[in-house]
Amino acid sequence: MSTAIVETINVTREIAWLPWAVSYFFLIGLSCGAFLLSLPGVLLQRPGWEAISRLALLAALVCGLTAPVALLADLHQPGRFWHFYAYFTPSSWMSWGAFFIPVYLGGLLVYAWLAFRPLLAEHGRSGGRLARLAALLACGGLESRRALIGAAALAFAGAALVALYTGAELMVVRARPLWHTPLLPVQLAITALAGAVGLTLLLKRLAGDADASATARLARTLVATQCAALAVGALWLLLGLGGLSAVHAEALAEVAPSANWQLAALWAAGATVATLLLAWKRPASGVLIGLLALHSAWMMRWSIFIGGQEVPKTGAGYYSYQLPLGPEGLMGIVGTAGLWVFVFILLTTVLPLDRLATRTRSSH
Amino acid sequence: MKHPDLTHSSAAPSPSRRAFLRGIPVLTAAIAAPAPALAASAGHHWAMLVDVRRCIGCQACTVSCMQENAVPEGSFRTVVSTYSVALEGERQPAGTYVLPRLCNHCDNPPCVPVCPVGATFKRADGVVLVNSERCVGCAYCVQACPYDARFINHDTNKADKCTFCAHRVDAGLLPACVETCVGGARVFGDLNDPDSELRRRLDAAAGQVKVLKPAQNTDPQVFYIGLDERFAGKVDGQATLWKPRAAHP
Ligand code: SF4
Ligand code: SF4
């Protein structure tokens, strides 16, 4: 930082994408990642993946149903959300996103319903809590493989489009060098998948599923995602340091002098390495690596969104953000988490966790 | 003395400011053509010239803009960024550099294509505006503007920024900041009118005219004379300690 210039009067621009946006990107990322994890067991019926994939599908549902609420809350005019559909603007990735989200969620809901119908019927017959609702939802509980494949294909296309638009929406913002990198969408996708593995590990423990081979399988997936995350991070740094890419050099020059950023970068690298080592050397530490992976996914988004907006575009130094306690800050995050828990409880009442986690589906 | 003739400008700055201006030689390379060539159409193309050498940093423009446009306290459509700059080889240790900032009404505005509902648009006369009936307050335009010219207005919950006082201009008046500019640093006018003061001053200063962040290819329509390179992009210096929102919650 040059000490020859001291700014005496200037505007401090506030953060305009609030923690709601972090919550949205976190949840929609987890949902898409968890949907991918649901495919091997639910769709492809790969042995050893059944319980993992059903739990992952539950995670995809809970996160997918919560995410749009956070997105809506980030609008300063939430009541005008219909404008997205009335005034489609093809030059804007956000405008496309408004159409991709329903494609993904629609596909996901149908896919999940088709996948869970037999389980819903089973719960309906067992006479537990909300059994009548479960029976009603099951609609006879038939399995239809062809419909399942179709719905999975739709959800897959939707998930790919959501991953594309969320990444591109940030990447095109040239005014923010930190966002304006083609590596950002890749980093978002990798950390989302890692976070989804983490969430599935937590659900697995919550379900009381002690199947060590499944935990090991998830730990191996986590080793792969963390290796990929570190490789992309290293590439970003190399491109910036080596001056190979002007965009990355600019991004690096912008954040490198900040002590906050140095700490965040060290923290992110440290957490990723720790997750990698634990998942590799002690694959049985399911809850710990799960929490670490979720934490990394959240921190990465927080630093990119909130940290990125702390860099003035014309002014000197940095803006400093303090998390407000109200709905635009902490209460928003807590509220989103509360909604997540509510949806989770609702879904696991008609689809009890232990039933999802049983290794092979009991026949009916 | 609203628009004093440039040839008599020696009367304007104070001695200390002149000393400072000597300390910061005005670089004159920059952009070659000061402004787009005359458009084929006979319509207006509104633009502004800021002669930094004439700005006295009084913030009269800042205040009149807030009054005229009911800008909420703590938010700004225009401001005169003020810097204390160390001087070498001068009797005084430091000088002041002032830089009036506002929306550049870019001819290639990155805030327009990102708007998901087409609420931000550029008029045929060059003015970039927000349709507040349509804006959903998503703040994507706030992110996309390379000049931090936009903000979310907490009274309206919509995107806000300088409009070149389009409501005044359409009624044949000057923007409020131009009307109140004490030093005569802000000149507003029609680029397509060869007789306009704006056009004449731009042509007279050809070769000295610069814009902010030219590498962003936004094609700003706010032009500067006396723009020091060190202030044309993100300023490398110590940040201001005054936080408007913290002062006016
Ligand atoms: S200065 Fe910013 S808000 Fe104004 S037209 Fe250019 S990009 Fe848009
Ligand atoms: S805040 Fe309003 S003007 Fe800006 S991009 Fe969103 S909808 Fe468009």
Side-chain angles (χ1 to χ4, degrees), chain A residues 2 4-10 13-14 17 76-77 80 83 91-92 169 174 176 309 312-315 317 319, chain B residues 76 81-82 84 86 113-114 132 134-135 137-138 140 142-143 145 148 154 156 213 215 234-236 238 240:
Chain A
S2 153
I5 298 175
V6 180
E7 197 170 71
T8 48
I9 300 174
N10 204 12
R13 289 295 187 213
E14 289 170 285
W17 281 357
H76 291 80
Q77 292 282 350
R80 290 186 171 179
H83 285 198
S91 60
S92 168
E169 185 173 289
R174 188 170 171 193
R176 296 208 183 278
Q309 293 181 83
K313 290 164 183 162
T314 55
Y319 302 143
Chain B
F76 300 87
S81 301
T82 307
S84 183
V114 297
S132 65
R134 197 183 276 197
C135 171
C138 69
Y140 200 3
V142 177
Q143 309 296 350
C145 167
D148 267 350
H154 286 295
T156 63
K213 290 195 174 182
K234 176 167 164 47
V235 175
D236 181 14
Q238 190 180 315
T240 171

Side-chain angles (χ1 to χ4, degrees), chain A residues 1-17 74-78 80-81 83-85 87-95 168-170 172-176 179 250 254 309 311-320, chain B residues 59 76 79-86 101 113-118 132-140 142-152 154 156-158 213 215-217 231 233-240 242-245:
Chain A
M1 183 190 73
S2 153
T3 50
I5 298 175
V6 180
E7 197 170 71
T8 48
I9 300 174
N10 204 12
V11 169
T12 298
R13 289 295 187 213
E14 289 170 285
I15 271 161
W17 281 357
D74 199 50
L75 292 184
H76 291 80
Q77 292 282 350
R80 290 186 171 179
F81 78 95
H83 285 198
F84 280 97
Y85 302 100
Y87 308 112
F88 172 57
T89 310
S91 60
S92 168
W93 278 104
M94 193 186 276
S95 183
E169 185 173 289
L170 292 173
V172 297
V173 179
R174 188 170 171 193
R176 296 208 183 278
W179 298 357
E250 204 183 327
E254 207 161 64
Q309 293 181 83
V311 183
K313 290 164 183 162
T314 55
Y318 300 92
Y319 302 143
S320 78
Chain B
Q59 308 281 357
F76 300 87
V79 75
V80 182
S81 301
T82 307
Y83 303 89
S84 183
V85 186
R101 297 184 189 273
V114 297
C115 177
V117 294
S132 65
E133 294 303 310
R134 197 183 276 197
C135 171
V136 295
C138 69
Y140 200 3
V142 177
Q143 309 296 350
C145 167
Y147 303 97
D148 267 350
R150 287 176 172 251
F151 58 96
I152 295 291
H154 286 295
T156 63
N157 279 325
K158 290 160 201 159
K213 290 195 174 182
Q216 292 272 327
N217 294 327
F231 300 90
K234 176 167 164 47
V235 175
D236 181 14
Q238 190 180 315
T240 171
W242 183 59
K243 301 274 178 274
R245 286 304 296 179

